[in-house]
Amino acid sequence: MPGIVIIGVQWGDEGKGKATDLLGDRTDWVVKFNGGNNAGHTVVIGDEKYALHLLPSGILSPGVTPVIGNGVVVDPEVLFAELEALRARGVDTSKLRVSANAHLITQYHRTLDKVTERFLGKRQIGTTGRGIGPAYADKINRVGIRVQDLFDENILRQKVEGALDQKNHLLVKVFNRRAITVDEIVDELLSYAARLAPLVDDTGLLLSDALDAGDVVVFEGGQATMLDVDHGTYPFVTSSSATAGGASTGSGIGPNRLDRIVGIVKAYTTRVGAGPFPTELFDDDGDTLRSRGFEFGTTTGRPRRVGWYDAPITRYATRINGITDLVLTKLDILSGFDRIPVCVAYDVGGRRFDEVPVNQTDFHHATPVYEYFPGWKQDISGARHFDDLPTRAQEYVLALERMSGTRISVIGVGPARDAVVVRHDLLD
């Protein structure tokens, strides 16, 4: 089964990079298919910690070819800064391939992202301000700049002129900012052309050929299901398809080539930015989860909002994505709690919802219906087999599995690369 999709189940930051790294030497290709540098993966290898924002985490595995797919929006400055930082630490980045059809983030995208968010006031979405949303908006409006445009200066200039015709009116007349000149954008983008050229390829064709040859290709999603532009908590979402369907559209590979869908879910829940969050905690338990789990954004450094595990969300993600396996991360963070609540349903004005309400207003006003499980005190970071876990930890995992609609195949018990319990092989 060579085509494997790895996606987040909750609102992101579940530990998708760790799952990709777990497949490691059995993986031939790792593809980032959505998002930009608005999210990050933290991967720990030995004593080294790597924070990646735009690059696929597979770039850290020798022998793997990392790919930035057409569904990604690329900030060239960030791309080359990350590559240079990895090279300085001895990481081989020479195999990276970038889709010619990926869209570029420019100065005006970053500017519009920041001023628009401030303009929203109390209605702010919680954007990272890195230009991702405006770049995707240009893509849909058919005024975007693609990677391949850097290699034809005349086309590039025409496209930048078309994009700035409207945007400068908006910047000057609505947001009271200076106009951006065509020359400054064209000059900046052209400065990256020579360095980008060796990396650019028809990545859809490369991946199709790889699958035909029997290679193992991992499609690594940014953000997560509840941030998907169609299926998430809209409008408090990202601007791309963060679900399994996005792996096909964002890479140029047909959905019949995707054999296994692996969902990554924390043993509790976190999110960054605004929007509904039924199990959110504002008490000492929340502070404990945040500090123990080091719940601060890889990209922004913002403290994450934290809450207990939400079983209806996991069932929803399982259905939306067709998840075949779950990787449950950060189980070790729950060690020490006397009891552990799990949200099994919602109460909305006295009405019980066993599934995620389709109406956003209902979900915004939902309060969790909890089932309580006894906690455990033991340090579980050394566990490598399911039987190594305390009985209560095993019972907690099995209860989540029953509620989630699919099997829990891997359990994360610590930040180290090998701190996992494997119940089922993700390639089996």
Side-chain angles (χ1 to χ4, degrees):
M1 290 178 286
I4 303 169
V5 182
I6 295 179
I7 44 90
V9 165
Q10 297 150 318
W11 282 281
D13 309 306
E14 298 95 344
K16 294 181 288 294
K18 186 182 181 77
T20 307
D21 187 62
L22 181 64
L23 294 166
D25 57 6
R26 296 185 296 170
T27 301
D28 301 297
W29 302 72
V30 175
V31 186
K32 180 166 183 171
F33 63 81
N34 77 301
N37 58 302
N38 55 334
H41 298 310
T42 300
V43 180
V44 179
I45 302 176
D47 295 329
E48 296 288 324
K49 180 183 287 188
Y50 298 86
L52 304 175
H53 306 282
L54 181 58
L55 295 168
S57 61
I59 201 165
L60 299 173
S61 298
V64 169
T65 301
V67 174
I68 293 177
N70 59 274
V72 178
V73 288
V74 178
D75 186 324
E77 180 180 1
V78 173
L79 174 64
F80 288 112
E82 281 198 31
L83 289 172
E84 288 164 11
L86 288 179
R87 289 178 193 132
R89 297 175 69 177
V91 177
D92 179 11
T93 64
S94 62
K95 290 188 174 184
L96 176 67
R97 293 295 175 264
V98 179
S99 171
N101 291 336
H103 280 246
L104 293 171
I105 297 171
T106 70
Q107 174 191 331
Y108 54 79
H109 291 129
R110 293 188 294 269
T111 300
L112 281 169
D113 202 1
K114 294 171 183 174
V115 297
T116 302
E117 181 78 346
R118 286 198 293 269
F119 191 77
L120 289 173
K122 293 181 179 179
R123 295 178 289 111
Q124 289 186 3
I125 293 170
T127 174
T128 58
R130 284 161 169 77
I132 281 79
Y136 276 115
D138 276 5
K139 176 179 178 177
I140 299 303
N141 285 327
R142 293 164 292 182
V143 292
I145 311 296
R146 298 195 293 179
V147 167
Q148 61 180 279
D149 297 329
L150 297 191
F151 310 116
D152 187 327
E153 184 174 350
N154 289 330
I155 290 293
L156 177 62
R157 184 170 293 274
Q158 289 175 36
K159 289 192 171 185
V160 172
E161 286 174 351
L164 285 177
D165 276 347
Q166 181 190 61
K167 289 177 174 58
N168 274 332
H169 285 292
L170 189 62
L171 286 170
V172 174
K173 296 176 181 177
V174 177
F175 297 120
N176 197 30
R177 300 294 291 261
R178 75 169 181 87
I180 297 173
T181 69
V182 172
D183 284 344
E184 64 184 295
I185 299 300
V186 170
D187 290 347
E188 179 187 356
L189 292 177
L190 287 177
S191 71
Y192 298 111
R195 282 185 288 171
L196 260 177
L199 309 178
V200 178
D201 215 321
D202 182 348
T203 54
L205 178 59
L206 285 179
L207 295 171
S208 180
D209 289 345
L211 289 167
D212 287 344
D215 287 355
V216 175
V217 180
V218 174
F219 300 84
E220 180 181 73
Q223 291 87 37
T225 299
M226 300 306 289
L227 291 175
D228 184 89
V229 69
D230 287 296
H231 303 292
T233 47
Y234 190 90
F236 304 101
V237 293
T238 194
S239 300
S240 62
S241 297
T243 44
S248 184
T249 58
S251 66
I253 292 298
N256 62 325
R257 311 301 300 273
L258 308 178
D259 302 289
R260 188 166 295 281
I261 313 296
V262 179
I264 316 302
V265 59
K266 275 182 185 169
Y268 50 100
T269 310
T270 64
R271 78 170 296 176
V272 172
F277 185 178
T279 68
E280 184 170 11
L281 295 170
F282 302 95
D283 56 9
D284 290 344
D285 285 344
D287 292 339
T288 299
L289 286 173
R290 186 178 295 107
S291 60
R292 283 188 190 171
F294 197 69
E295 297 297 350
F296 301 90
T298 302
T299 296
T300 63
R302 289 184 292 183
R304 294 177 185 140
R305 299 160 65 189
V306 297
W308 298 117
Y309 188 89
D310 191 316
I313 281 179
T314 306
R315 283 198 299 276
Y316 174 76
T318 297
R319 172 169 57 86
I320 291 293
N321 294 289
I323 291 173
T324 59
D325 300 80
L326 287 172
V327 174
L328 182 72
T329 61
K330 291 196 169 184
L331 183 65
D332 54 304
I333 304 304
L334 298 182
S335 296
F337 285 99
D338 292 326
R339 66 174 188 170
I340 303 171
V342 171
C343 174
V344 297
Y346 310 112
D347 180 275
V348 183
R351 182 182 175 192
R352 181 184 171 109
F353 286 79
D354 291 309
E355 303 295 337
V356 175
V358 67
N359 188 303
Q360 181 74 6
T361 300
D362 288 337
F363 194 56
H364 183 78
H365 292 98
T367 57
V369 176
Y370 283 123
E371 184 174 334
Y372 295 90
F373 295 85
W376 59 91
K377 302 294 184 183
Q378 299 94 319
D379 176 7
I380 64 171
S381 60
R384 295 296 179 268
H385 302 280
F386 192 64
D387 290 343
D388 295 339
L389 295 172
T391 300
R392 289 179 173 181
Q394 294 180 37
E395 291 170 348
Y396 180 76
V397 171
L398 293 175
L400 298 191
E401 185 174 65
R402 288 192 298 271
M403 297 176 191
S404 300
T406 193
R407 67 184 188 179
I408 294 176
S409 295
V410 178
I411 304 160
V413 293
R417 191 176 195 178
D418 63 343
V420 293
V421 171
V422 178
R423 299 178 68 216
H424 307 285
D425 191 333
L426 294 178
L427 290 177
D428 184 5

